């Protein structure tokens, strides 16, 4: 019961008075139409892009075939350039129901692996981002010396040097989850730092001066004014951050031996020429990304509600 | 350099008769360093404020009213001269929580309820939760906001918000109440009502109040002493001791006595307003 | 039990069946070893891993290992599992390639990361200048460039990628293949390498000896029973992508590269084969893999001898 | 203010001199005889220099002045980082395949300047620039086009957020399959990565003009296009530039990573991946340095453009 | 429902004697649909504004002054009743550029110079560049801003910005000038000066002006007709025709006649102010 209520609060997007039917119509209908359009384009694209491959490898060379054969062939290829939506859906579904949840052939198994390193990276990255932001706001030295380098740090293609990072961390004794979490963290912390620097500085002068007239100390100003004021900045950054962390975690899976996880699944799909598998892993990673950002958005809503529902 | 000296005589002519000095300002100057040229926000200011006085600062934009308030509140440092608050430096006075400051905007924290906003300074002073709550509720009642303590600031009208801000400034019982255009953003009717309430509050408690306003009527209605300032550089043009009785009501504003004082203030303002 | 970590060169597949079989059948445990098998992948350089102390022994190809030696990571070959090269160039007939002289003007897919040197050597021999006479593309992990007709030929392994092309629906009769072994540019592939400094420790040599012995036992089993090996490999694959059918076929082809399986000579590095590889590598056109002959220090039979005992 | 400046500069100079002296020690040059470790004195000197370096940055930061001082502080900080990287990597004898000292990286940049230039042309001038311009441009145009269609917006934006969570590692191999191994496939990845941030930002920017301003235009009975040109696009500029800046780094990273999945034989990503497996770490790091400098310069250039174009925005004019 | 009828008599009692009707409002209501309950922003409003009149709307916050202005300016639709502007619907009037609107905030485009801001509406009307510039310069001079045409809005003080906004509204010579608390954010002295300038402007040109203010003094000083409104639901409490002479100066404010009208307005306000 409590859970149901909580869940309702999480998924609630508009004021409760608005009927869910009208909400569904207003928000759901456009999405449904766009989805349908996407599917249609996808099918057309599948036929279009697979045609030459089908003619070359699938359709008989010696006997005649008509366009229906071609159509059927393009939508049911072993190694399509673009698999048809129903192929992906079937593969996706069968991976979920045909295998036990702890089997490496079940996508949820990989979701769990990737989500774990993503979440660790997210938590660590958020903490790092918070600490850096507090330090930067606190110290002019760090503001001037560090902030430009934090921006520059993001122009280093971490994804490109993930293998090196992994080896270096490995030589320091970190292996398994840790290096993946570190790379996810590297991508996570930046948006948090930038937003929090902005957020911690968002209190107007009048507000900081008010705290000054109360003779509040640094810690009290931080805790009572700066942190609460920065929450509206923090949450959008967290949403960006967790998506970035997912990318980091998946990339980091490749050089860890691609043992398990959605990134590994993508890689091996590509390696074994299993295009359909790539696409269902891709769909799954997009869904995971959506779920994670929605979870953050849910927490945001709960927190903002606790402080009165407005920012 | 003779003009200010001239003027300072005025304030020195009214000696600290009726009580101890709450604020003592001697030859204070404030110069802001800006990119192109220094701004003389205050020049050679002399001013005494006795305990229990209601002093209004009035003058055109940029004449240094806010700066003067900020100097007293230790939010700004003087470039020359001396300032004493309750006999000590503004810094010590601030640490001793000698004053409450009400800004032009209510500056309430939107993530805190009305009650939590009022308890904020108490919490910072280390009072217990229960204590703070009792005190805060008492002050909310005093400004007529009982029943609203659970609301969030944006659920209140502008006038109510400003009253919360006043309750907050009063809550830790500061000796001095500093108010910088507290009613500037309100409509005239609400403003009148708050003026009346502020008057009654001052009647009851006789705290020292330093008040900034742009409205002549407001200054005359509220104050026992009106300080008229002029800009570039910021200085005091005239200090007018109000002949009005201490007990006041809004109807007073249509009396000739009131109009007389208002006229005097307007003339002083026009004198100082030379651009 | 003594701990041993082995870093593979690629994803878990039948190419490494010997290790998985030895692990699965408990041969390592019997030898008193606690072996960790680290799978590799496209972004994993076994050399970096062993230099970063992430493994005791690595599976690597000789060009890569000798290049690492020159770059300051002194690897030493302690055993050569594959005594034949499985590397080949696979072309579509339809692209107009039927012999090496048809390469001119074509796009050829090549694996990088050390594997390009034998190829460049070959092209130098044929007199082609990369970039002008032929176009090279850095091939990814799969055979798409050939299927999408983005390249006339691509690098494949006889035990793996070649069959992926076939599985994709291209008839074997439509393909032309060039084996490096036959073109005389082959270099030694999967061998076991350790850091030179560690070999000074007799205990390490003894441990590796036990490791080799158990490993060879695993390889002999795998060659004898490809179906069983495939099952074990599939079970070890945590990505859930490997299939038994594919792995069994791979094992059957890998077996052809271990011609000495089942004999006492399994895993023995023939000095002549080593010399041949070095020669190929020293002569790779304008930028050879290695600039100077590494000499006999680059391999040792000490461990193999210990295993043979 | 002036004496403060002189004092700081002198101190920085003294620190740098000390740094040069320390760098000339055998331990710092890696010239210690095989098997010996640097002496305690060396570590002591290093620690003291570290403290001095921190102090010098602190003083530099405390100077009054605008962006120039800020840049100088950041530069000084960077110099110290590189310096201690060099010193410690050599003194600890860290294997070159793990982390090369900066000196070797600089040397590699010098030696392989030609190669790196080719890589730069291949990756940055072709894939990144074209992809970035196309992706951002397309995002902008689509945003303007669907600005008047709330239905399309409500339908597209959730899809956009869904798409934006697709990791580029998944897209890159598909792009190579579809568009070939040359730069168009990299550009395609970049287009996909940059399209949605620009779309979303521009849509937000077009909504950023104040209600008052819009009603003003309405009261003039101004046409849609007039309102767009005179009010809404200028008001959207800060948002558009924000997206351009984010996209610049995204594009660079996207193109480089995409090159891992098949490429011609040049490009920064190609260089990083092949040289890494060849253990030629100095060259790998050279390519990374080229990428990082490119990204930072692009960012800085965009900031300059923004200062010109959105000169009126409070964040630019410093109000 | 009888009360409003009652009140509407007042405005019907003053027939369109001295000129054509610029604005004609009959039984107009505006209801906002909100999440919980509908807000009756305006209920049964009847109002006639003749050409050349200076009409001030005054009343407490939320009484619907802005809504009424917006209805006239076609920025809001009425839920019931009828509104005519220059004899046509507000929509047609807007397309015919019948009025200039001055908002409470200056609403200048920060990326345009002062001159470019003023020429904006002229450009939209299709005037040539040269033409617009000449007209804009003339209007800038009229509000005392010659020499500032090359500056950007943020380089001006609040009062100057508001004057630019007035120049902009005047520049295309609209028949009706609508001003919603144009001086609300300014200090009293600047405000006085702008009031004086506005008065002189109206003297010279006798445009129809609809003006919203919170200040009784301002309303009395400027208007020929003062409309007092009350909230919940928004309605007209009283319409006061000013007995003051058309020619006015600031000194007028200390006269008994002025104080009399101000008193009348204050009383009407207090009547309507029931909370
Ligand atoms: N931080 C500052 N830097 C530079 N000049 C300043 C600063 N603060 C205020 N000034 C200048 O000092 C003078 C006095 O400002 P102050 O804010 O005290 O005026 P004020 O009387 O409160 O005006 P207002 O009625 O507009 O609030 C003005 O000319 C102002 O421009
Ligand atoms: N868009 C809206 N939606 C719902 N209610 C509105 C809206 N706009 C105004 N209102 C309500 O309509 C009433 C009249 O508002 P209006 O802004 O006209 O008042 P006003 O007299 O201009 O007040 P103020 O002096 O504060 O500007 C108020 O109660 C207000 O809350
Ligand atoms: C990046 C990269 N791509 C391909 C290879 C070549 N390679 C070596 S072992 C092996 C397995 C064959 O099934 C392959 C493909 C490599 N070393 N590195
Ligand atoms: Mg002020
Ligand atoms: Mg209004």
């Amino acid at each position: 019961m409590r859970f149901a209520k909580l869940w309702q609060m999480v998924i609630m997007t508009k004021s409760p008075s608005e009927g869910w039917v009208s909400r569904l119509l207003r928000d759901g209908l456009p999405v449904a139409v766009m989805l349908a359009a996407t599917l249609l384009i996808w099918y057309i694209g599948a036929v279009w892009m697979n045609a030459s491959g089908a003619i070359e490898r699938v359709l008989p060379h010696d006997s005649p075939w008509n366009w229906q054969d071609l159509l059927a062939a393009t939508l049911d290829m072993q190694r399509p350039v673009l698999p048809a939506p129903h192929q992906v859906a079937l593969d996706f579904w069968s991976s979920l129901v045909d295998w036990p949840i702890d089997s490496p052939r079940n996508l949820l198994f990989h979701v769990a692996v990737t989500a774990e390193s993503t979440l660790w990276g997210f938590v660590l990255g958020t903490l790092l981002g918070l600490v850096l932001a507090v330090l930067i706001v606190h110290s002019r030295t760090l503001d001037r010396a560090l902030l430009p380098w934090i921006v520059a740090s993001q122009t280093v293609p971490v994804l490109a040097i993930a293998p090196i990072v992994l080896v270096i961390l490995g030589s320091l004794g970190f292996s398994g989850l840790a290096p993946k979490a570190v790379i996810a963290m590297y991508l996570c912390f930046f948006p948090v730092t930038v937003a929090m620097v902005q957020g911690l500085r968002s209190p107007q002068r009048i507000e900081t001066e008010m705290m000054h007239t109360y003779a509040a100390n640094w810690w009290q100003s931080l805790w009572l004014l700066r942190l609460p004021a920065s929450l509206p900045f923090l949450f959008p950054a967290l949403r960006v951050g967790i998506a970035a962390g997912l990318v980091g975690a998946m990339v980091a899976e490749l050089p860890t031996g691609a043992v398990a996880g959605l990134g590994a699944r993508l890689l091996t799909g590509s390696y074994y020429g299993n295009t359909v598998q790539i696409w269902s892993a891709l769909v799954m990673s997009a869904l995971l990304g959506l779920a994670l950002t929605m979870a953050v958005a849910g927490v945001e809503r709960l927190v903002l509600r606790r402080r009165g529902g407005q920012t | 350099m003779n003009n200010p000296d001239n003027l300072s005589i005025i304030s020195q002519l009214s000696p600290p008769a009726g009580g101890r000095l709450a604020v003592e300002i001697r030859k204070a100057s404030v110069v802001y360093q800006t990119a192109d040229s220094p701004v003389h926000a205050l020049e050679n200011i002399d001013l005494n404020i006795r305990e229990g006085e209601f002093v209004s600062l009035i003058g055109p934009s940029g004449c240094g009213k806010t700066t003067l308030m900020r100097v007293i509140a230790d939010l700004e440092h003087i470039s020359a001269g001396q300032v004493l608050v309750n006999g000590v430096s503004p810094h010590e006075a601030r640490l001793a929580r000698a004053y409450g400051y009400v800004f032009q905007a209510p500056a309430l924290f939107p993530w805190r309820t009305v009650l939590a906003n009022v308890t904020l300074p108490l919490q910072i002073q280390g009072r217990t939760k229960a204590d703070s709550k009792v005190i805060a509720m008492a002050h909310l009642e005093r400004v007529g906001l009982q029943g609203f303590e659970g609301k969030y600031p944006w659920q209140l009208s502008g006038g109510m918000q400003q009253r919360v801000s006043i309750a907050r400034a009063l809550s830790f019982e500061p000796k001095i109440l500093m108010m910088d255009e507290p009613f500037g953003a309100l409509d005239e009717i609400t403003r009148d009502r708050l003026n009346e309430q502020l008057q009654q509050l001052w009647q009851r408690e006789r705290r020292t109040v330093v008040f900034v306003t742009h409205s002549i009527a407001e200054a005359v209605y509220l104050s026992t002493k009106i300080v008229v300032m002029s800009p570039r550089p910021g200085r005091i043009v005239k200090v007018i001791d109000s002949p009005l009785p201490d007990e006041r009501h809004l109807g007073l504003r249509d009396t000739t006595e009131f109009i007389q004082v208002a006229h005097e203030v307007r003339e002083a303002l026009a004198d100082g307003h030379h651009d | 039990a003594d701990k041993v970590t082995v870093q593979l060169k690629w994803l878990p597949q039948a190419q490494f069946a010997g290790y998985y079989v030895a692990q699965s059948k408990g041969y390592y445990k019997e030898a008193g070893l606690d072996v960790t098998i680290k799978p590799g992948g496209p972004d994993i350089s076994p050399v970096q891993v062993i230099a970063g102390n992430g493994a005791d022994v690595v599976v690597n190809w000789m060009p890569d290992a000798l290049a690492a030696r020159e770059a300051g990571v002194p690897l030493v070959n302690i055993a050569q599992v594959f005594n034949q090269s499985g590397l080949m160039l696979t072309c579509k007939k339809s692209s107009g390639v039927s012999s090496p002289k048809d390469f001119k003007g074509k796009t050829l897919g090549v694996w990088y990361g050390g594997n390009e040197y034998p190829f460049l050597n070959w092209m130098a021999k044929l007199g082609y200048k990369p970039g002008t006479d032929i176009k090279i593309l850095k091939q990814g992990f799969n055979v798409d460039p050939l299927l999408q007709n983005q390249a006339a030929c691509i690098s494949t392994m006889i035990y793996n990628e070649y069959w992926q092309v076939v599985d994709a629906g291209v008839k074997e009769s439509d393909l032309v293949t060039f084996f490096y072994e036959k073109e005389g540019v082959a270099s030694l592939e999967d061998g076991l390498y350790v850091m030179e400094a560690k070999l000074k420790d007799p205990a390490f040599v003894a441990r590796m000896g036990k490791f080799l012995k158990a490993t060879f036992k695993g390889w002999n089993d795998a060659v004898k029973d490809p179906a069983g090996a495939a099952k074990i490999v599939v079970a070890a694959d945590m990505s859930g992508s490997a299939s038994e059918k594919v792995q069994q076929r791979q094992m059957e082809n890998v077996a052809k590269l271990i011609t000495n399986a089942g004999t006492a000579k399994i895993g023995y590095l023939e000095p002549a084969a080593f010399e041949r590889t070095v020669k190929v590598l020293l002569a790779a056109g304008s930028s050879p893999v290695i600039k100077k002959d590494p000499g006999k220090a680059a391999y040792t039979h000490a461990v193999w001898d210990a295993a043979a005992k | 203010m002036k004496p403060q400046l002189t004092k700081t500069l002198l101190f920085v100079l003294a620190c740098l001199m000390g740094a040069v002296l320390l760098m000339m020690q055998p331990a710092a040059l890696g010239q210690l005889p095989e098997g010996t470790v640097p002496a305690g004195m060396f570590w002591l000197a290093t620690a003291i220099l570290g403290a001095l370096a921190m102090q010098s940055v602190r003083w530099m930061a405390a100077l009054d002045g605008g962006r120039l001082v800020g840049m100088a502080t950041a530069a000084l900080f960077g110099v110290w980082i590189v310096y201690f990287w060099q010193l410690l990597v050599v003194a600890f004898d860290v294997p070159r395949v793990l982390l090369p000292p900066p000196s070797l990286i600089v040397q590699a940049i010098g030696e392989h300047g030609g190669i790196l230039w080719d890589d730069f042309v291949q990756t940055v001038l072709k894939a990144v620039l074209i992809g970035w311009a196309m992706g951002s441009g397309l995002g902008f145009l689509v945003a303007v086009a669907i600005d008047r269609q709330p239905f399309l917006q409500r339908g597209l934006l959730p899809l956009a957020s869904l798409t934006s969570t697709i990791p580029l590692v998944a897209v890159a191999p598909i792009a190579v399959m579809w568009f070939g191994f040359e730069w168009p496939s990299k550009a395609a990845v970049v287009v996909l990565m940059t399209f949605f941030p620009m779309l979303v930002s521009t849509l937000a920017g077009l909504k950023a003009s104040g209600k008052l301003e819009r009603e003003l235009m309405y009261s003039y009975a101004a046409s849609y296009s007039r309102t767009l040109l005179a009010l809404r696009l200028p008001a959207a500029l800060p948002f558009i530039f924000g997206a351009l800046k984010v996209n610049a780094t995204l594009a660079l990273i996207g193109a480089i990573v995409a090159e891992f999945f098949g490429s011609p034989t040049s490009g920064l990503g190609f260089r990083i991946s092949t040289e890494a497996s060849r253990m030629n770490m100095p060259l790998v790091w050279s390519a990374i340095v080229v990428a990082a400098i490119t990204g930072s310069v692009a960012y800085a250039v965009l900031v300059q453009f923004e200062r010109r174009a959105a000169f009126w925005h409070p964040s630019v004019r410093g109000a």
Side-chain angles (χ1 to χ4, degrees), chain C residues 142-214:
Chain C
N142 59 37
V143 297
D144 282 333
L146 191 72
L147 297 182
Q148 312 299 336
N149 297 318
Q150 291 166 353
C153 311
I154 58 166
S155 299
T156 57
M157 304 304 295
I158 176 66
Y159 48 81
N160 189 3
E161 285 82 2
Y162 176 77
W163 297 104
Q164 287 189 23
V165 177
V166 174
D167 284 348
V170 183
K171 290 195 195 64
E172 283 191 74
S173 56
D174 289 338
L175 292 172
V176 191
T177 57
F178 304 94
F179 283 88
Y180 279 44
E181 198 77 68
K182 283 189 195 139
E183 303 296 332
V185 289
S187 50
L188 288 170
E189 290 162 9
D190 298 30
L192 291 165
Y193 294 81
V194 299
M195 293 291 275
E196 187 165 339
K198 283 196 174 175
L199 286 170
K200 289 187 192 129
D201 176 9
F204 179 77
V205 174
R207 189 146 49 100
M208 282 300 125
K210 284 192 262 178
F211 172 73
L212 283 192
K213 191 166 182 172

Side-chain angles (χ1 to χ4, degrees), chain A residues 205, chain B residues 32-34 39-42 59-68 70 76 104 180-181 212-214 229 231-232 234:
Chain A
R205 197 163 131 183
Chain B
Y32 286 114
Q33 299 298 346
T34 62
V39 176
H40 289 261
L42 291 177
S61 211
C63 69
K65 306 179 293 296
T66 298
T67 306
L68 185 53
R70 292 170 58 82
E76 208 76 70
Q104 169 154 16
D180 191 355
E181 285 190 66
V212 171
T213 179
H214 270 126
M229 299 177 68
R232 260 149 287 161

Side-chain angles (χ1 to χ4, degrees), chain D residues 10-25 28 40-58 76-77 79-88:
Chain D
L10 281 179
F11 183 68
V12 169
L13 222 67
C15 289
L16 288 177
M17 238 126 91
V20 171
L21 281 182
L22 186 62
M23 190 49 89
M24 291 189 325
Q25 298 305 306
M41 273 308 283
F42 174 78
W43 295 123
L44 187 70
T46 306
I48 292 175
L49 188 67
L52 288 177
M54 256 149 71
Q55 194 55 42
S56 71
V57 174
R58 206 170 288 151
L76 183 64
F77 183 72
V79 165
W80 284 124
I81 294 287
V82 171
Y83 176 81
F84 283 103
W85 172 359
Q86 170 78 32
L87 197 71
L88 295 178

Side-chain angles (χ1 to χ4, degrees), chain C residues 43 45 47-48 51-52 64 68 71 73 107 112-113 116-117 135-138 140-141 144 148 150, chain D residues 96-98 176-177 179-182 259-265 270 273-274 276-279 281:
Chain C
D43 282 335
S45 161
V47 177
Q48 274 178 6
D64 203 23
V73 184
T107 302
Y112 271 70
E116 71 274 32
Y117 294 116
K135 190 162 179 187
I136 298 179
L137 88 87
K138 183 201 156 195
F141 330 117
D144 282 333
Q148 312 299 336
Q150 291 166 353
Chain D
R96 238 184 327 143
V97 282
L98 291 187
V176 171
M177 186 157 84
F179 300 103
F181 57 92
E182 265 287 352
E259 281 177 356
F260 279 35
F261 296 81
S263 69
T265 53
F270 167 82
S273 66
T274 56
S277 48
R278 233 185 253 180
M279 268 69 59
M281 296 320 269

Side-chain angles (χ1 to χ4, degrees), chain A residues 56-57 79 81 104-105 109-110 163 167 171 254-260 265 267-268 270-273 277, chain C residues 10-11 13 39-40 43-44 48 52 92 141-142 144 147-149 160 164 168 170 238-242 247:
Chain A
E56 187 183 331
R57 301 199 301 269
R79 280 192 74 131
V81 178
R105 287 177 195 271
F109 168 85
H110 300 282
V167 171
S171 75
L254 309 190
T256 44
V259 221
R265 190 81 186 156
L267 174 79
T268 50
S270 161
Y271 175 57
Y272 286 105
Q277 176 184 323
Chain C
W10 202 249
L11 305 171
Q13 57 179 355
D43 282 335
I44 297 179
Q48 274 178 6
K92 268 190 186 166
F141 330 117
N142 59 37
D144 282 333
L147 297 182
Q148 312 299 336
N149 297 318
N160 189 3
Q164 287 189 23
V170 183
M238 291 311 285
S239 74
S241 302
Q247 294 306 321

